[in-house]
Amino acid sequence: MSTEKRPTPVNGIVITFFSTASAVGKTLVACNMASELAREGYRVCLADFDLQFGDVCNYLHLEPLRTLADVQRTMQVEGDSCRVQDFLTPYQNGDVSFSVLAAPKALEEAYNIHHDYAVRAIRKLQTQYDYILIDMASMFSTLNLAMLDLSTIVTFLGIVDFIPTIKNMKIGMDTLKMLGYDKNKIRLVLNRSDAKTRISLSDVQKLLGEPFYHVLPNDFRAASQSLREGIPLVLAKDHTDLGDALKALVARYTNHTTAPAETAKAQEESSWLSRIFS
Ligand SMILES: Nc1ncnc2c1ncn2[C@@H]1O[C@H](COP(=O)(O)OP(=O)(O)O)[C@@H](O)[C@H]1O
Ligand SMILES: [Mg+2]
């Protein structure tokens, strides 16, 4: 695999990580996809736009000196001459490196971010990076809608655990459709697929009106070790099924694989879930 950096792009690809419930794996998947894309030699910037409770720097064990709040403050004074690249925090693991635009440190700063500055920051990053990955909070906020508009691909993550989570996933999917987003732009990704549940995946897919584009297995041990060490699974020395599934997701996004869309298999025949929502 080439580690040679490509020439400066004119319009980087934006991938957002969105969900309608928290703790479904947005940050874990975003950090791993950033690492894998960087490992493949792409210029990558990972922006933490879960403004109030962002976790990217915790996952990567980074201590940012500057954040999105500093970008906004500088843009308010300097306008578009603000160099967003001066506000990024580098992540490095061996030969693999990428940049992080950290979430504001203080809650008050997070609250005062205006989506207009966030959009301008991403537009600037698009002139310097092949891929801009945006980790988001689980809500339909003005900021998130602006990011969904900018996205080349929306990674809509879900887990199948309890009825309220699935109900909210349906609201999310229906809302994205109602807002007119191109179906091909939204990739429904199921995380923690083999976690213990009595809910049938085929029922969930029927309810959502979409098959899962990709499925990530449950691996609590690997996920917590990665968090403890600050090393994304795709860069870890030990091979894991979860790490492989994350690499496969990146390969599909970058078209290195021609595998047909992986749909979740029905685990059982019951359809009590669809009856509840029908
Ligand atoms: N596939 C997985 N298997 C096991 N644990 C996971 C998996 N994906 C995420 N986790 C764990 O679930 C928790 C929530 O993940 P996180 O990425 O922080 O969610 P979000 O950003 O959507 O709130 C974390 O402790 C993470 O390590
Ligand atoms: Mg998160």
Side-chain angles (χ1 to χ4, degrees):
M1 212 158 291
S2 165
T3 52
E4 204 178 294
K5 298 286 179 192
R6 288 154 174 79
T8 305
V10 284
N11 197 18
I13 291 170
V14 176
I15 303 179
T16 40
F17 296 85
F18 179 66
S19 69
T20 45
S22 55
V24 301
K26 292 183 299 297
T27 307
L28 180 140
V29 176
C31 289
N32 276 280
M33 287 192 73
S35 305
E36 180 62 8
L37 287 165
R39 202 172 66 85
E40 290 195 355
Y42 293 105
R43 298 163 200 242
V44 179
C45 182
L46 172 57
D48 192 347
F49 281 6
D50 184 349
L51 301 183
Q52 295 192 0
F53 302 110
D55 267 333
V56 167
C57 290
N58 296 336
Y59 267 78
L60 300 174
H61 291 197
L62 296 175
E63 291 192 11
L65 295 176
R66 296 168 135 191
T67 73
L68 177 63
D70 300 302
V71 172
Q72 174 165 303
R73 271 192 286 273
T74 308
M75 278 184 174
Q76 283 167 338
V77 177
E78 297 178 8
D80 274 335
S81 60
C82 165
R83 287 164 43 92
V84 178
Q85 65 268 37
D86 293 344
F87 297 83
L88 306 177
T89 306
Y91 175 80
Q92 178 104 34
N93 184 310
D95 290 343
V96 177
S97 63
F98 60 89
S99 304
V100 171
L101 175 52
K105 291 181 187 174
L107 220 53
E108 185 194 326
E109 288 177 329
Y111 186 78
N112 286 322
I113 294 291
H114 191 283
H115 65 271
D116 197 35
Y117 293 101
V119 169
R120 282 157 71 180
I122 296 298
R123 290 256 186 249
K124 278 184 165 275
L125 291 170
Q126 279 185 283
T127 65
Q128 287 148 7
Y129 289 89
D130 299 303
Y131 284 93
I132 300 95
L133 274 57
I134 308 176
D135 188 16
M136 310 203 298
S138 318
M139 64 173 91
F140 279 99
S141 59
T142 321
L143 172 67
N144 282 358
L145 288 172
M147 293 305 127
L148 293 175
D149 286 348
L150 275 182
S151 303
T152 318
I153 299 175
V154 177
T155 308
F156 185 173
L157 271 140
I159 55 175
V160 169
D161 55 355
F162 305 114
I163 298 289
T165 323
I166 297 161
K167 186 261 297 174
N168 290 345
M169 238 159 109
K170 174 153 179 64
I171 293 175
M173 204 65 202
D174 289 350
T175 306
L176 291 175
K177 283 180 191 159
M178 191 263 291
L179 291 171
Y181 289 112
D182 179 359
K183 220 172 109 175
N184 296 322
K185 167 165 158 168
I186 301 161
R187 309 274 161 89
L188 194 56
V189 174
L190 174 69
N191 192 19
R192 311 191 69 166
S193 70
D194 40 7
K196 295 265 174 294
T197 173
R198 285 183 52 242
I199 300 168
S200 145
L201 292 188
S202 68
D203 278 354
V204 176
Q205 295 184 118
K206 239 183 274 165
L207 180 74
L208 298 175
E210 284 299 322
F212 288 107
Y213 173 86
H214 199 77
V215 177
L216 299 167
N218 188 50
D219 189 341
F220 177 75
R221 197 199 55 79
S224 41
Q225 183 177 343
S226 159
L227 193 56
R228 238 184 354 261
E229 294 176 351
I231 300 174
L233 289 156
V234 297
L235 302 181
K237 279 191 218 82
D238 294 338
H239 152 101
T240 56
D241 289 347
L242 181 53
D244 286 351
L246 287 158
K247 284 182 187 175
L249 180 58
V250 170
R252 296 185 65 188
Y253 275 24
T254 51
N255 286 326
H256 293 174
T257 168
T258 52
E262 193 177 331
T263 56
K265 288 183 201 75
Q267 286 180 324
E268 55 189 274
E269 285 306 306
S270 84
S271 61
W272 59 275
L273 180 66
S274 39
R275 284 201 298 277
I276 291 176
F277 287 107
S278 62

